[in-house]
Amino acid sequence: MKKVIKWGAFLVIGFIILSALMNSEEPKTAEPETTVEGKEEKETTKPKAVAKPAVKKVIPKVGDQVKVGKLTYTVNDVKQVATLSNVLGEKKTSGQFLVVDVTILNRDKEERFVDSEMFKVKVGDTEYSADAELDSYANDGGLGFFLETINPNIEKQGKIVFELPKNANGYVLEVSSGFGWSGGESKQIKL
């Protein structure tokens, strides 16, 4: 039994030394191949990889369908207003309200929760959240996407409201693949 353990230990130590030697060798750099033809010396090299042209990232815009996870978003319309009103009254801002009309299609096999928290507007490096209270002023007879459920293969339309500075422009809407734990993936839509 001692012989087996002794030989096993030698094999393990030998394997460790061998793998250390193999890892310590420096990789060889590719040198041009040289061939001799008669009195002339001709140098040949391997062809260089052709650089791929840069792919321009296309950001979807209003009217495009954008798939994010199991949800498909379509921005139908975007409006900038200074006041919002409904039967409860009127809301004003010193900046502007950005009202985004969105349709969401659930392509999952089960119902999905959606909420206005799944939407962000980005202006440069600055991020703005949706205001669920203001959503009730923009959506006729409803709360928009406030904790709504959408059944499989059904779409819902609603308006999301963002309060932005008056001079803000160049908006991008960021949409999420889901609410809470089902989120994580997002895409942008140019408004």
Side-chain angles (χ1 to χ4, degrees):
M1 182 70 173
K2 287 185 181 182
K3 277 187 174 182
V4 172
I5 294 173
K6 185 177 175 182
W7 280 105
F10 282 129
L11 286 173
V12 170
I13 292 171
F15 178 72
I16 292 172
I17 292 171
L18 183 62
S19 61
L21 288 173
M22 290 177 67
N23 288 336
S24 68
E25 289 183 21
E26 293 182 24
K28 297 179 182 178
T29 58
E31 294 181 17
E33 298 175 13
T34 306
T35 58
V36 178
E37 293 180 11
K39 294 184 180 180
E40 293 181 24
E41 199 172 294
K42 182 179 178 184
E43 192 174 289
T44 60
T45 59
K46 294 181 181 177
K48 293 182 181 179
V50 177
K52 293 180 182 178
V55 176
K56 188 175 182 181
K57 186 176 179 181
V58 177
I59 297 177
K61 58 187 182 314
V62 174
D64 292 345
Q65 289 189 343
V66 179
K67 294 178 183 178
V68 188
K70 301 282 184 176
L71 300 175
T72 300
Y73 294 88
T74 305
V75 174
N76 306 310
D77 191 29
V78 180
K79 292 182 182 173
Q80 300 165 322
V81 296
T83 60
L84 293 170
S85 60
N86 68 5
V87 294
L88 300 174
E90 188 174 85
K91 288 286 186 176
K92 294 183 179 184
T93 180
S94 60
Q96 63 178 320
F97 293 123
L98 185 69
V99 182
V100 183
D101 185 334
V102 178
T103 301
I104 303 174
L105 170 65
N106 178 8
R107 296 179 300 114
D108 203 349
K109 293 181 180 180
E110 55 189 49
E111 78 175 358
R112 298 289 302 266
F113 275 101
V114 293
D115 189 72
S116 57
E117 290 296 317
M118 295 168 47
F119 302 90
K120 304 282 184 215
V121 165
K122 292 191 173 186
V123 180
D125 294 343
T126 307
E127 182 177 279
Y128 297 92
S129 296
D131 189 324
E133 179 189 355
L134 295 175
D135 289 354
S136 65
Y137 284 83
N139 290 285
D140 297 329
L143 297 174
F145 293 114
F146 180 70
L147 292 177
E148 283 288 320
T149 58
I150 302 177
N151 281 320
N153 301 311
I154 299 292
E155 62 182 25
K156 285 203 176 179
Q157 183 178 356
K159 295 177 182 167
I160 304 119
V161 180
F162 300 88
E163 187 174 12
L164 306 174
K166 191 172 255 179
N167 61 351
N169 57 20
Y171 319 111
V172 176
L173 178 68
E174 188 172 88
V175 293
S176 174
S177 60
F179 179 66
W181 296 106
S182 62
E185 185 182 344
S186 65
K187 289 190 179 175
Q188 295 183 337
I189 303 170
K190 186 175 170 90
L191 301 178

